[in-house]
Amino acid sequence: MRTADIGVTGLATMGRNLARNFARHGHTVAVHNRTESRTKQLVEEHGHEGAFVPSSSIEEFVSSLRRPRKAIIMVKAGPATDAVIEELAACMEPGDMIIDGGNAHFLDTRRREAALRERGLHFVGTGISGGEEGALHGPSIMPGGAAEAYETLGPLLEDIAAKVDGTPCCVHVGPDGAGHFVKMVHNGIEYADMQLIAESYDLLRQALGLSPGELAEVFREWNRGELESYLIEITAEVLGHTDPATGRPFVDVVVDQAEQKGTGRWTVQSALELGVPVTGIAEAVFARSLSGHPGQRAAARSLAGPAAAAAAGAELVEDVRRALYASKIVAYAQGFDQITAAGEEYGWNVDRGAMATIWRGGCIIRARFLDRIRTAYEADPALPTLLADPTFAAALADAQESWRRVVATAATIGVPTPGFSSALAYYDALRRDRLPAALIQGLRDFFGAHTYQRVDREGVFHTDWSGDRRERPA
């Protein structure tokens, strides 16, 4: 039996394409699937692309790997992953590594890494972005785990990753669950990005009466400038597509209920625990949730709306473009803030500039302005928020009047824009000298004696609201 450089178990679309990617790059790949017919099909259909070593059992699969063994799991997150990990670990020896390339929750990854470390095995939770095409042609790869494991595994992953300006879109993110955490935030940003794009489409269609085909051309034009990105590109394709069965615009025959697989929700849950306001991502998650309640939406259809639609001119197109760019900056800034907070909480020390670098290619949120984000963090690795970077601050200043007109127009004509609105509110809250949180602290002290601090002297205080209203140190 030939000795394989790396193995992939779980040959659904992502695992299958990842195995083919390795083979196309000259690596001998061990392949295994619980349903053996998938393994045979892969070899029969794509054996000409490179060297595959098929296995009918986990034991055979592990024995075909060169030491230190490197086995990638591409199965459904949850109990199925734990089961496969245990099967692999039982056949492995100290120094071998198990790589989880699925969308696992980062806390599960931390647990698994710690358990396998005690057995002398490396566990590498690895975020892989780019969908089935990325898996085959070059994804963005976000591996966590021990640095020692990456020394051996890294060259293989970097070889198959997407390349931008000759740089692989793959870097060691940090210990234990760091890789899966960063992939989770990537997906959260993706939710926000798509929500903002959808709001742009909806507002322009409702306010100006543009057809999906006409809006496809708007997005194609936008993709030639600072908004250039994979998501803007495919938005034009989707809007320009005509349903062959009805002849209607494709977007008009799709049920308006957006589904989700959970990573966006995980991002928001984690942000709440870390105390990081990721309002753009949260609004995107909630917008999908709202879309999935057709009964409530039908019951509310008779609610009153604006008395008359306000007139909107063609300049709204440019205003929306600027508002979209500004809101995208906010969404990315919030995502990077969450990565920073998690690094401090879990001891990861994630290089934010490196994350921007590896997201430039292969992944779903790849975009031109990630180069600007990378430059910002290279100039100031301790940057407290992307919004404080001079380049982004100038871009936001340039866009803000358009941004405000867009939110006002949407509110006036009754088009919901939670993404645009929350991004603008976040921007305004950050730049304020004082926030109404001072009143909230007063209210909390009144009803619950929760105390407060003062601006003019040190200490923590409580006012006797139900008595003489004298202030006392707490």
Side-chain angles (χ1 to χ4, degrees), residues 26-208:
H27 304 291
T28 301
V29 189
V31 289
H32 168 266
N33 194 78
R34 193 171 296 278
T35 304
E36 192 175 354
S37 59
R38 278 191 174 177
T39 309
K40 292 180 179 178
Q41 183 183 24
L42 169 61
V43 176
E44 288 172 0
E45 295 180 357
H46 303 288
H48 64 281
E49 295 181 342
F52 296 99
V53 181
S55 304
S56 59
S57 69
I58 283 289
E59 292 80 10
E60 184 182 353
F61 173 71
V62 172
S63 68
S64 69
L65 296 170
R66 180 181 295 119
R67 301 164 81 183
R69 301 177 179 93
K70 296 171 282 293
I72 300 179
I73 300 172
M74 298 297 292
V75 300
K76 186 176 181 180
T81 300
D82 282 314
V84 175
I85 289 171
E86 185 52 41
E87 284 186 87
L88 287 170
C91 302
M92 288 183 156
E93 299 174 311
D96 290 346
M97 59 191 75
I98 298 173
I99 303 103
D100 180 9
N103 272 334
H105 194 286
F106 77 99
L107 292 178
D108 286 335
T109 302
R110 298 194 81 208
R111 168 179 58 79
R112 292 163 179 157
E113 194 275 337
L116 289 179
R117 192 182 341 122
E118 290 185 359
R119 298 168 67 172
L121 301 174
H122 292 294
F123 185 72
V124 183
T126 302
I128 299 175
S129 179
E132 56 186 86
E133 287 300 307
L136 181 60
H137 300 295
S140 176
I141 309 178
M142 296 151 260
E148 176 188 352
Y150 190 77
E151 289 177 6
T152 303
L153 177 65
L156 285 166
L157 298 182
E158 291 173 13
D159 196 25
I160 68 159
K163 310 291 190 304
V164 176
D165 299 330
T167 301
C169 294
C170 174
V171 71
H172 181 235
V173 177
D176 54 74
H180 274 148
F181 184 90
V182 165
K183 173 57 163 56
M184 176 191 76
V185 173
H186 163 284
N187 285 18
I189 294 172
E190 179 185 310
Y191 274 56
D193 212 339
M194 286 192 284
Q195 176 64 25
L196 292 167
I197 288 171
E199 290 178 17
S200 300
Y201 147 77
D202 192 31
L203 179 57
L204 290 176
R205 188 171 187 184
Q206 300 304 317
L208 300 180

Side-chain angles (χ1 to χ4, degrees), residues 227-252:
L227 282 173
E228 180 188 347
S229 67
Y230 174 69
L231 284 172
I232 295 291
E233 175 188 344
I234 66 172
T235 297
E237 294 300 315
V238 172
L239 289 175
H241 182 57
T242 300
D243 174 49
T246 63
R248 297 172 60 193
F250 170 77
V251 73
D252 287 345

Side-chain angles (χ1 to χ4, degrees), residues 14-15 33 43 47 124 133-134 187 209 266 274 276 283 287 290 296 299 301 341 351 355 422 437 472:
M14 284 291 290
N33 194 78
V43 176
V124 183
E133 287 300 307
N187 285 18
W266 289 350
L274 293 167
V276 180
E283 289 294 353
L290 189 151
Q296 288 182 336
R301 210 143 285 157
D351 183 337
M355 296 306 99
S422 67
R472 295 176 177 84

Side-chain angles (χ1 to χ4, degrees), residues 401-414:
E401 293 305 325
S402 290
W403 202 359
R404 297 183 193 285
R405 283 194 294 269
V406 164
V407 171
T409 298
T412 300
I413 67 175

Side-chain angles (χ1 to χ4, degrees), residues 14-26:
M14 284 291 290
R16 175 189 182 96
N17 282 0
L18 202 63
R20 291 173 59 195
N21 193 349
F22 278 114
R24 288 178 170 190
H25 281 81

